[in-house]
Amino acid sequence: STVLTYLTSIENLPCELQRNFTLMRDLDNRTEEKKAEIDKLAEEYVANVKNLASQQRVEHLQKIQNAYSKCKEFSDDKVQLAMQTYEMVDKHIRRLDADLARFENELKEKLELSGYESTDGRGDLRVQRDKHSPRKKKIKNSPDLTEALLPMQPSDVLDMPVDPNEPTYCLCHQVSYGEMIGCDNPDCPIEWFHFACVDLATKPKGKWFCPRCTQEKKKK
């Protein structure tokens, strides 16, 4: 199932995150040690500069410079690790968004095939039940689970407030979320589409045209 596949994909995520956080903490400790070394070298230089020969001064300043370079190297490594960690988590979030949108569409299709109808296209459902069908267990004073799930909109996937000024895309006219693909027709009026809305699980190879542009090409 979609849920099981997603759970399997994130099984190692906690270990990977813990590894990256441990490495970043180690880089922090090494940076602090190097900074203490720089302070000590600077104090020694200031205290002894009058007694140092020209070559000795150059060598001492070079040690300080090398220590600073090492600090910068540690900082760069930490930034790379932080970016890697962010991308790791973001990849799973985008995967979850796409899986949830696909699950929603599959649920709607199954409910429609089972005889559920919407009177206004949103959430007012009429249910046609066979008299001989098994009785469904319900929670007291709560709506049927399927009736509660059906009205979900793609924008609910992110479970966060949507800016009314944010542009909308795709055939569903919703905001950007999850993985999206751009139509290769430069004159496409929509341009961007959610993977789930155009039945994609992965990015196709080569050029890709949306259903609308594909239909227009056939007419020509």
Side-chain angles (χ1 to χ4, degrees), residues 5-6 9 11 24 102-103 123 125 141 147 173 209:
T5 302
Y6 180 75
S9 73
E11 186 175 357
M24 283 191 278
R102 184 161 52 249
F103 171 73
L125 301 177
N141 296 328
E147 292 186 20
H173 302 296
F209 296 92

Side-chain angles (χ1 to χ4, degrees), residues 1 58 69 88 107 121 124 133 141 150 152-153 202 212 217:
S1 67
V58 171
S69 297
M88 190 188 305
L107 178 63
D124 185 11
S133 63
N141 296 328
L150 183 60
M152 287 200 316
Q153 299 296 320
T202 57
R212 179 170 177 172
K217 286 177 69 177

Side-chain angles (χ1 to χ4, degrees), residues 52-215:
L52 294 175
S54 178
Q55 184 61 32
Q56 289 177 315
R57 292 181 184 181
V58 171
E59 290 174 357
H60 204 98
L61 289 173
Q62 188 61 50
K63 287 181 182 179
I64 296 174
Q65 180 62 46
N66 291 341
Y68 269 117
S69 297
K70 206 66 182 174
C71 270
K72 184 178 184 303
E73 183 182 318
F74 292 154
S75 297
D76 290 343
D77 288 345
K78 184 181 176 183
V79 169
Q80 287 298 319
L81 270 173
M83 290 174 63
Q84 183 189 91
T85 304
Y86 172 83
E87 289 169 1
M88 190 188 305
V89 175
D90 186 58
K91 179 186 74 174
H92 286 290
I93 291 173
R94 285 186 282 110
R95 167 79 182 276
L96 178 60
D97 289 343
D99 285 347
L100 286 173
R102 184 161 52 249
F103 171 73
E104 179 194 350
N105 289 335
E106 290 173 359
L107 178 63
K108 287 181 178 180
E109 289 173 5
K110 288 178 181 178
L111 292 177
E112 287 170 2
L113 292 173
S114 300
Y116 283 76
E117 296 178 3
S118 174
T119 58
D120 62 359
R122 298 193 63 167
D124 185 11
L125 301 177
R126 293 179 300 171
V127 183
Q128 304 295 330
R129 292 190 176 89
D130 190 311
K131 291 182 180 179
H132 300 290
S133 63
R135 288 181 298 171
K136 296 181 179 178
K137 291 183 180 179
K138 292 186 180 181
I139 301 173
K140 188 176 180 182
N141 296 328
S142 68
D144 191 328
L145 176 61
T146 52
E147 292 186 20
L149 287 174
L150 183 60
M152 287 200 316
Q153 299 296 320
S155 57
D156 295 335
V157 172
L158 294 176
D159 193 27
M160 61 177 66
V162 176
D163 184 348
N165 297 317
E166 188 172 352
T168 58
Y169 306 92
C170 193
L171 301 170
C172 64
H173 302 296
Q174 297 294 331
V175 297
S176 169
Y177 66 83
E179 291 189 274
M180 300 186 72
I181 185 168
C183 178
D184 282 307
N185 178 8
D187 298 321
C188 178
I190 300 176
E191 295 187 63
W192 291 96
F193 301 81
H194 304 110
F195 270 32
C197 294
V198 289
D199 296 323
L200 289 177
T202 57
K203 185 178 180 180
K205 294 181 179 179
K207 290 190 175 183
W208 178 86
F209 296 92
C210 71
R212 179 170 177 172
C213 291
T214 301
Q215 193 64 32

